[in-house]
Amino acid sequence: MPSEQRLHPATLVFDLARHARNFALPAVLLIFGISGFGGGPGGMFGGIPEGWEGWLLVLFVPAAAVSVFRYLTFRLRYDEREFVIRWGLLFRHERHIPYARIQNVDAVQNVFHRLFSVVEVRVETGGGEEEEARLSVLPRAAFDEIRSRVFSSRHAHVEQPAHAVPPAHPEPPVLSAQPELLHLDLRDLLLFGFIQNKGMVVIGAAFGAGWESGLLDRLVGRYFADDSLGRGFFRDLFRAIFGDGPLPVAPLWMALAGIAAFLVVVRIVSMGWALMRFYDFRLTRVDEDLRTEYGLITRVSAMVPIRRVQTINIRTGLLHRWLDRASVRVETAGGAGGGSAAHAREWLAPLIRVEALPRLLQQVLPGFDYGAVAWQSVHPRAFRRAMKPVLVVLTVLTSLLATASGWVALAVLVVLLPWLTLSTRKYVQHLGWVEGEEVVLMKSGWIWRQVTVARINKIQVVSMHQSPFDRRAAMARVKVDTARAGEFSHRIDIPYLDQRVAQQLADRLSTAAANTAFRW
Amino acid sequence: MSDIADGQDHQLDPRVIRLRQVTGSILLVGIAVWSLAGLLIGMLMGDSLSGAARIGLLLLWAVLTGLGAWHAFRWPARTYSRTFYRVDEQGIEIRRGVYWRVVINVPKSRVQHIDVTQGPIERRFALGTLVVHTAGTDHANVALDGLEHGRALAIRKHLLPSGAGDAV
């Protein structure tokens, strides 16, 4: 077995210094608190002044002890194919990191590090958010050793298959011959702004700015000083509704017109926003990358390396469908030498004609025909299964309301039940999935519909979930996990599948994923 | 290849039941003692409570503690009987869950790195926890506890890339 190494003894110094720094701020605050508000033993921290150093020690000593133990137990060694670190006295951890999976070896050396001629080394693979190993601190020579081992093994193990698999880019000359894939002209941009309806965000921001600068107060004072829409209006309106006075017709019309005008203004502002943000949007293909360029004032240029695309997301709303358009985004992840900024969500096409969609997707997924996708629906009894929790929640809600406010609660039920029934029905109807050679797709949503396309060679983990309700209905849910998906992004997560279908789907997907190599 | 990757469903090491009973009891004793202390101090300080209410509160504490003890004693056997894992050439599959069931499948080619950890009580029982890290989002790490320590090491050895050809 290769010999094990320890961290540099200066580790202790740096760790203790780090703790001291962490405790310095509270300590300073405490001292200020005492001297500032003190004025004798009855100050803000009346009881503390006598022994506050002691309290700090209570916190500091365990932290320092952890550092010492960590230093004493920390070992690293280089196996033939793996980098191994080991730490812990009570809870013993041993982590094996294959050289082939290491993406990045960083070294940090600040002034104090230089004093001891040591470095802090960070080893990153694709997993998780944090670096996989933070080696603080090592002698400079050790860093060189890690790096040389990682890179020599990378040449031996990784570059070979990369050269051995050229079909990743079959005929680049043909592809680069079609540079511009999408260009949004003025009409498209205005349409996009209208559909996207970002007006409220812009108005909200303007409102905030106006509030801060005090401009708003003056405006309000000038235009809304008279009481035409003030409290009197609402009082009259309520009276009229409860049959106790004449309907305030003129102010009512004014209010409705105001609301309508506001909605129009919001849309117009949104169109302005789209114009500014996405002016002259161009999507071009540059060899193995897609490049987007857009913006009126700030010109943004974003690169989307095609092989880093994890999922493609196609979104359509009501307006999209009336106008035969869709919005397309991609999620990318990874890339050697960039562990931190590795996740990104990029517009591929803010707005594109539905008939142009298959061609666009073929840029990312050659050989995939979106137009020919035959959607599979979920289990025929999915609606019944989906309605059960809705009914349970609704019953509980209504009975709670009923105890509080009597029979009025029934009105809630009368309104909510048909709506929830309809939306559940529509939701279940629009669920769908497809499994292709290289991709797996899922769609969901009724008013806002989303389709997510995941590449099989980017699947990380396949899981099948079954709640007690699922088991009663012999159903299951299949989830596909990809690298660093956004918190709120639409993912492959197919509910209400027949148990057997789900089982087979999960098996096939994981087998297919296992048979492909994952490359960043 | 290796005898670990037999493609058979395996249960965890049966000692995991005892292990989880022990850790569960430690947790339970901790919670019970602290809550009882809080309850008693509260009763001594506040005198607005009637005698019956005091007895009621203590009874409630006893009942909850009893339920907790029952759970700590019975639950490990139930989770044990519902946890399976399978290692084959393709990767590792873990099935678990008493009421909410889940099957997690991690292909070997997606394993980034692996930890084997062992806490003080686990060491008593010669057990260990295998943590498989992937580049995923929800399953960035998949943990399997209650493996015999040597077996956890063998699974780790199997799941990590073993040669140049393996990367493809």
Side-chain angles (χ1 to χ4, degrees):
Chain A
M1 181 164 282
S3 66
E4 295 196 309
Q5 294 181 17
R6 315 176 69 149
L7 295 173
H8 193 276
T11 299
L12 278 173
V13 179
F14 282 99
D15 260 15
L16 293 181
R18 189 163 53 84
H19 289 308
R21 203 177 55 205
N22 288 347
F23 284 105
L25 186 68
V28 166
L29 283 181
L30 207 54
I31 293 161
F32 267 92
I34 292 156
S35 63
F37 303 97
M44 192 179 173
F45 297 97
I48 297 173
E50 282 310 308
W52 63 270
E53 303 97 330
W55 283 107
L56 268 185
L57 276 182
V58 166
L59 297 171
F60 184 76
V61 168
V66 167
S67 286
V68 172
F69 278 123
R70 193 180 151 91
Y71 166 70
L72 288 177
T73 58
F74 199 99
R75 297 282 188 287
L76 56 125
R77 69 165 194 265
Y78 312 99
D79 278 0
E80 193 189 341
R81 294 196 173 87
E82 292 152 15
F83 180 55
V84 181
I85 54 176
R86 205 150 68 76
W87 72 96
L89 184 67
L90 285 180
F91 290 88
R92 290 187 192 158
H93 303 261
E94 187 170 316
R95 173 167 293 185
H96 286 227
I97 310 171
Y99 296 129
R101 296 276 192 267
I102 293 177
Q103 301 237 347
N104 207 11
V105 184
D106 280 347
V108 178
Q109 193 176 35
N110 63 26
V111 182
F112 300 105
H113 288 131
R114 219 163 295 156
L115 220 62
F116 291 90
S117 68
V118 291
V119 286
E120 183 179 315
V121 179
R122 293 169 188 173
V123 178
E124 289 183 2
T125 71
E129 277 93 58
E130 286 181 12
E131 60 268 356
E132 274 56 50
R134 174 179 286 213
L135 309 166
S136 170
V137 289
L138 285 175
R140 176 87 212 177
F143 168 59
D144 294 332
E145 185 171 359
I146 295 176
R147 215 167 41 171
S148 70
R149 277 176 189 271
V150 168
F151 286 104
S152 67
S153 85
R154 177 172 291 181
H155 287 300
H157 296 199
V158 174
E159 290 300 321
Q160 265 173 8
H163 288 303
V165 195
H169 32 94
E171 55 253 20
V174 181
L175 294 172
S176 46
Q178 32 172 285
E180 191 161 292
L181 299 168
L182 182 76
H183 178 234
L184 293 189
D185 58 22
L186 203 62
R187 197 172 132 258
D188 288 334
L189 282 170
L190 293 178
L191 207 58
F192 174 66
F194 188 77
I195 290 175
Q196 205 66 14
N197 204 9
K198 283 275 181 174
M200 276 314 289
V201 179
V202 180
I203 289 177
F207 191 83
W211 187 277
E212 289 290 322
S213 61
L215 210 67
L216 204 68
D217 283 344
R218 268 184 278 159
L219 274 176
V220 169
R222 203 149 145 202
Y223 291 104
F224 296 99
D226 62 320
D227 211 17
S228 62
L229 287 169
R231 278 188 202 136
F233 164 67
F234 284 108
R235 202 179 50 212
D236 291 348
L237 189 64
F238 276 116
R239 269 195 198 150
I241 288 168
F242 293 106
D244 199 30
L247 200 64
V249 179
L252 192 64
W253 278 116
M254 273 177 68
L256 285 179
I259 291 168
F262 182 71
L263 289 180
V264 171
V265 167
V266 166
R267 292 277 169 174
I268 290 172
V269 169
S270 175
M271 286 155 93
W273 164 81
L275 208 59
M276 295 271 280
R277 179 99 206 274
F278 289 103
Y279 181 76
D280 194 28
F281 182 96
R282 273 165 207 283
L283 175 72
T284 46
R285 175 151 185 162
V286 183
D287 294 331
E288 285 304 299
D289 299 324
L290 291 174
R291 189 161 66 194
T292 56
E293 268 182 278
Y294 53 87
L296 182 64
I297 295 165
T298 344
R299 193 89 184 138
V300 178
S301 176
M303 274 291 208
V304 181
I306 288 176
R307 65 186 189 85
R308 300 231 170 103
V309 171
Q310 312 285 320
T311 55
I312 307 174
N313 182 255
I314 304 160
R315 209 177 143 156
T316 57
L318 271 182
L319 287 168
H320 282 98
R321 288 195 292 279
W322 285 338
L323 300 164
D324 262 340
R325 304 290 157 99
S327 298
V328 184
R329 287 209 237 196
V330 289
E331 278 198 345
T332 59
S340 47
H343 166 256
R345 207 158 162 232
E346 281 296 337
W347 285 102
L348 213 56
L351 203 63
I352 185 171
R353 286 188 171 279
V354 168
E355 60 262 29
L357 208 50
R359 226 194 58 150
L360 178 70
L361 296 192
Q362 270 178 4
Q363 292 296 325
V364 183
L365 302 160
F368 168 66
D369 186 4
Y370 185 67
V373 159
W375 290 104
Q376 310 229 41
S377 44
V378 293
H379 198 286
R381 279 186 283 112
F383 172 63
R384 267 172 58 188
R385 157 79 183 80
M387 262 324 267
K388 274 178 198 160
V390 172
L391 289 177
V392 169
V393 170
L394 208 57
T395 312
V396 172
L397 195 76
T398 322
S399 28
L400 278 178
L401 264 175
T403 55
S405 58
W407 289 107
V408 189
L410 272 185
V412 177
L413 190 68
V414 167
V415 174
L416 278 183
L417 188 59
W419 168 251
L420 289 175
T421 310
L422 180 72
S423 58
T424 308
R425 166 132 252 155
K426 290 291 180 189
Y427 168 72
V428 169
Q429 264 174 14
H430 287 102
L431 280 172
W433 59 280
V434 198
E435 179 197 7
E437 281 284 296
E438 286 176 13
V439 287
V440 51
L441 282 78
M442 178 199 171
K443 64 169 183 173
S444 73
W446 166 33
I447 293 170
W448 279 97
R449 296 186 194 161
Q450 301 204 62
V451 176
T452 293
V453 186
R455 305 166 118 180
I456 289 199
N457 60 359
K458 301 292 182 193
I459 293 177
Q460 296 291 335
V461 177
V462 179
S463 57
M464 190 178 91
H465 302 249
Q466 230 180 357
S467 72
F469 313 105
D470 279 333
R471 262 188 298 143
R472 279 197 54 167
M475 292 184 197
R477 168 190 291 265
V478 171
K479 287 193 195 185
V480 169
D481 201 20
T482 53
R484 293 183 201 160
E487 189 88 12
F488 300 106
S489 34
H490 189 248
R491 310 213 203 143
I492 306 268
D493 176 359
I494 316 167
Y496 313 132
L497 288 173
D498 182 275
Q499 197 170 286
R500 235 168 314 140
V501 174
Q503 177 78 59
Q504 286 162 3
L505 177 67
D507 280 351
R508 278 196 308 267
L509 287 178
S510 53
T511 308
N515 291 334
T516 54
F518 176 69
R519 287 195 302 135
W520 283 99
Chain B
M1 215 164 94
S2 57
D3 51 341
I4 285 293
D6 51 4
Q8 301 288 314
D9 275 352
H10 287 281
Q11 288 198 297
L12 298 175
D13 191 299
R15 282 174 290 188
V16 72
I17 300 177
R18 199 87 199 109
L19 168 76
R20 286 183 185 155
Q21 283 171 345
V22 170
T23 50
S25 324
I26 292 173
L27 185 71
L28 180 76
V29 167
I31 294 173
V33 166
W34 278 103
S35 58
L36 184 64
L39 202 62
L40 291 178
I41 290 170
M43 282 182 182
L44 287 176
M45 307 270 279
D47 6 63
S48 57
L49 283 170
S50 70
R54 281 158 198 249
I55 291 169
L57 276 175
L58 283 176
L59 270 178
L60 182 71
W61 177 85
V63 167
L64 284 178
T65 307
L67 277 177
W70 184 77
H71 181 266
F73 185 71
R74 294 299 303 277
W75 190 250
R78 299 203 62 188
T79 53
Y80 170 77
S81 68
R82 290 289 335 153
T83 306
F84 302 91
Y85 67 92
R86 191 178 73 206
V87 182
D88 53 23
E89 282 312 311
Q90 191 180 309
I92 183 166
E93 182 176 281
I94 299 169
R95 284 194 284 137
R96 65 174 150 219
V98 175
Y99 294 112
W100 268 265
R101 297 201 179 148
V102 59
V103 184
I104 299 171
N105 205 315
V106 186
K108 207 175 150 182
S109 57
R110 301 300 191 266
V111 173
Q112 293 287 341
H113 61 273
I114 298 182
D115 294 351
V116 171
T117 69
Q118 204 181 28
I121 304 169
E122 279 179 305
R123 196 146 49 238
R124 270 284 154 76
F125 290 94
L127 297 176
T129 300
L130 180 81
V131 187
V132 180
H133 295 260
T134 72
T137 315
D138 292 335
H139 296 289
N141 53 66
V142 177
L144 184 62
D145 64 331
L147 291 169
E148 197 263 312
H149 190 248
R151 199 167 171 82
L153 298 181
I155 295 175
R156 173 178 73 195
K157 190 158 184 286
H158 171 72
L159 288 180
L160 286 173
S162 45
D166 187 86
V168 188

